[in-house]
Amino acid sequence: MPQAWDTTTAARLRPDSPELEYVTNRWQLGDPVAFTASTLSEIFFGLCKATLPTLSERPNHQRLNSSAVDAQRGWLKDQIAAGLIDILPFEHRAADIAGALRARIPTPPPAPKRSKSRSKAEGRVAWMMDLQTSATVFVYGYDLISADAHHPLIAKELSALAPSAPPLLIEAPPKF
Amino acid sequence: MGVGEDTGKAARKPARRQRAPRRTGHRVQLTVPEDMWRELAGIARAAGTTANDVLVRLASERLHDRQRAVALRKLADERWQAFADASSTGSSNGAKKVKPLTAEELVKLSQASREED
């Protein structure tokens, strides 16, 4: 079944990684892994944020070497341009579904422990991105590979929104 | 030079012709456009196989891509249709019978998230 990776797995893709080997094997078999445009945006946001000096002043903000960050961004863009990963756009059907999901579950469920590196506002934005990702993957006919506890909840809401639809399957990331 | 004359090459084995892997299936004779054949032959030389083999492999890959795309499209359409059927967004039938929302109401609705916080 075609797989789309969410940020928890997609962000691990880097040169000489087992994730890269896995993605390459799937590409060679004619079944490339996909990321949603929202997932890609999350990855680029994280990379860009890590190098901003103004944000680095904040507590718990880990500022990374900007050359290493630029190299990773460039490398990832190259893999996408080469067709190793398919990017699923957030288009009108996904927007329709994401809006309906957001109306049903406007905020993320309370987490037992909130990440120290993420503000409440950022958590809300990340939630919107999760909704967009699930909606996109759903409407493109993929399964979602995710270690995020939110996605099974969103998939359940999708089944409530479209009861006769083949459900969005959430699979745990492959073991590398 | 007549047939059967010794050219000094007779003792040499003729270069072995590349053969495609043996396949079972439907045998066909087909006309391949010249430019396509030249390209196939070039790929075949580089890969150490025959143009026929390259042709079958490319067709196989394309068929796989097509089957995958068709299956994805089918599932995508089923999911979208199920969502559209279950929600009012799937149809504009009867829209003329109800009083439309005002522009102000629509703007207010689209800004709903800004009022929640």
Side-chain angles (χ1 to χ4, degrees):
Chain A
M1 186 73 181
Q3 294 180 355
W5 286 9
D6 92 331
T7 319
T8 54
T9 313
R12 295 173 182 276
L13 189 67
R14 52 189 290 279
D16 301 320
S17 63
E19 285 82 3
L20 176 62
E21 196 181 331
Y22 180 90
V23 165
T24 306
N25 283 340
R26 288 197 65 116
W27 177 79
Q28 284 168 342
L29 292 170
D31 191 19
V33 165
F35 297 173
T36 67
S38 307
T39 294
L40 195 60
S41 178
E42 283 277 84
I43 292 171
F44 286 142
F45 163 68
L47 289 170
C48 292
K49 181 184 158 191
T51 60
L52 288 181
T54 49
L55 287 176
S56 69
E57 308 301 326
R58 287 168 43 173
N60 304 313
H61 180 79
Q62 185 192 3
R63 191 174 175 195
L64 299 176
N65 179 304
S66 64
S67 302
V69 170
D70 286 346
Q72 172 66 12
R73 280 179 70 201
W75 178 84
L76 190 53
K77 286 179 191 177
D78 287 346
Q79 307 316 304
I80 293 164
L84 184 69
I85 305 150
D86 281 343
I87 302 298
L88 310 179
F90 182 61
E91 39 73 286
H92 71 101
R93 297 169 307 166
D96 195 341
I97 295 170
L101 281 170
R102 188 178 167 191
R104 293 173 75 99
I105 33 175
T107 54
K113 191 180 173 188
R114 186 159 60 84
S115 165
K116 285 180 182 172
S117 62
R118 184 184 269 181
S119 68
K120 188 177 175 185
E122 283 175 342
R124 289 261 183 116
V125 174
W127 175 245
M128 294 302 117
M129 297 302 232
D130 285 346
L131 296 180
Q132 289 186 6
T133 286
S134 282
T136 305
V137 171
F138 178 77
V139 89
Y140 273 88
Y142 282 68
D143 289 341
L144 182 63
I145 304 299
S146 174
D148 187 331
H150 288 156
H151 284 295
L153 173 73
I154 299 171
K156 204 173 154 192
E157 289 297 329
L158 276 168
S159 290
L161 277 171
S164 63
L168 174 66
L169 301 178
I170 313 291
E171 288 181 31
K175 298 240 186 292
F176 295 113
Chain B
M1 192 180 298
V3 176
E5 283 183 20
D6 186 4
T7 61
K9 294 176 187 171
R12 278 190 222 156
K13 276 189 174 177
R16 179 170 284 188
R17 231 180 76 201
Q18 282 292 351
R19 294 197 68 86
R22 185 170 288 277
R23 292 186 174 92
T24 57
H26 193 71
R27 273 187 82 84
V28 290
Q29 190 171 25
L30 72 163
T31 303
V32 181
E34 280 297 340
D35 55 344
M36 191 188 290
W37 187 254
R38 275 196 296 276
E39 200 164 340
L40 289 168
I43 297 170
R45 270 194 302 279
T49 185
T50 65
N52 278 358
D53 184 38
V54 173
L55 188 62
V56 171
R57 284 180 193 225
L58 287 175
S60 169
E61 283 175 20
R62 184 69 190 97
L63 278 173
H64 174 271
D65 289 350
R66 190 174 178 279
Q67 285 162 357
R68 181 181 186 269
V70 166
L72 269 175
R73 183 60 182 265
K74 182 171 179 283
L75 188 54
D77 286 349
E78 282 173 6
R79 284 174 170 172
W80 172 245
Q81 198 55 53
F83 172 77
D85 290 346
S87 67
S88 57
T89 59
S91 168
S92 58
N93 289 345
K96 286 177 185 169
K97 294 175 192 162
V98 297
K99 188 184 166 198
L101 295 169
T102 65
E104 289 74 20
E105 286 170 331
L106 289 169
V107 170
K108 196 174 175 189
L109 289 175
S110 72
Q111 305 274 314
S113 64
R114 287 160 178 78
E115 290 169 2
E116 281 169 10
D117 291 329

